[in-house]
Each structure stands twice: as C-alpha cells, then as structure tokens.
Amino acid sequence: MKEKPLVTVYITNHNYGRFIDESIKSVLNQSFKKLELIIIDDDSKDNSKKIINKYANLSNVTTIFQKRKGLAISNNIALKIAKGKYIAFIDSDDLWKKNKLKTQINIMKKFN
C-alpha cells in the first residue's frame, strides 16, 4: 500500500503558462519529499495544459483539467481530494525555496 503524504500542495491555474512550469518544479524539488501535488487548470487558453501534462505521469501528482469554475470552487476541489495531514497552496506564478516545506513541518512538529 502506498504511504499517505504528509503534505498536500495544490496549485490552481488559469492562463499562467509562462510561469507554471517553474512553480511546479519549485514544489517537486522540495527537500521534503512526503508530499502530493494537485494541479488544477481552470480552462486555460494558453500553453498551460501542455506544460502541466509533462507532470501527469508522476506518482505523486494529480492533474485536473476543468471547464472554468473560478478560484473558490477550484480551491474546494483540491481540498476535497487532498490526502495529506497538512495543506499548502502555491500560486501558479510563485516559487518556493527548496527547504520551505521542511522548515514549516519542523516548526509545526515543534509546537504540536
């Protein structure tokens, strides 16, 4: 049986193809590896789908391509399917430093 991720990270995207590849890489290159990544594309009309599909076959990545539903509904979809104990969100045009999740998990464990 596959081990449950400790952290679910999700990205919602609408027409941010020029940024999303680097955003996804910044999550997948985290030093903390016990994570799943959910990518929800909200009916992009740019090259986003092509970029996101590069990651669709990774075991810890779930990709969802949907007709336009907006940010609030997309967030709720991600939260509904998340398997992690903790949830983290990253905008499709943001980047994370390599130790972001590891640092946050260590702080949470310290005060838990």
Side-chain angles (χ1 to χ4, degrees):
M1 185 173 168
K2 188 176 172 182
E3 189 176 0
K4 192 173 173 181
L6 185 62
V7 179
T8 296
V9 178
Y10 74 93
I11 301 172
T12 58
N13 179 69
H14 179 72
N15 292 331
Y16 275 82
R18 64 193 180 277
F19 302 114
I20 189 133
D21 194 48
E22 292 302 314
S23 181
I24 292 168
K25 286 177 184 174
S26 78
V27 173
L28 295 177
N29 290 329
Q30 288 292 298
S31 58
F32 182 84
K33 298 296 183 188
K34 198 173 172 186
L35 65 88
E36 70 171 336
L37 174 60
I38 300 169
I39 308 166
I40 299 179
D41 185 77
D42 199 27
D43 204 24
S44 291
K45 304 299 183 199
D46 64 0
N47 63 336
S48 294
K49 185 174 181 177
K50 182 179 179 182
I51 294 165
I52 294 166
N53 269 330
K54 294 189 316 185
Y55 302 96
N57 292 327
L58 296 177
S59 63
N60 64 332
V61 176
T62 300
T63 56
I64 298 171
F65 298 96
Q66 64 188 21
K67 294 290 181 193
R68 190 92 166 111
K69 295 184 180 179
L71 182 59
I73 291 174
S74 297
N75 286 338
N76 287 334
I77 290 168
L79 295 173
K80 186 174 185 176
I81 65 171
K83 297 178 185 91
K85 178 178 179 179
Y86 302 110
I87 307 290
F89 170 77
I90 181 171
D91 284 312
S92 53
D93 62 346
D94 285 349
L95 300 174
W96 283 354
K97 292 187 176 186
K98 188 172 183 71
N99 289 322
K100 179 209 187 299
L101 287 178
K102 184 176 183 179
T103 301
Q104 287 181 314
I105 293 298
N106 287 339
I107 290 169
M108 286 187 279
K109 286 181 178 178
K110 184 178 177 181
F111 294 102
N112 209 356

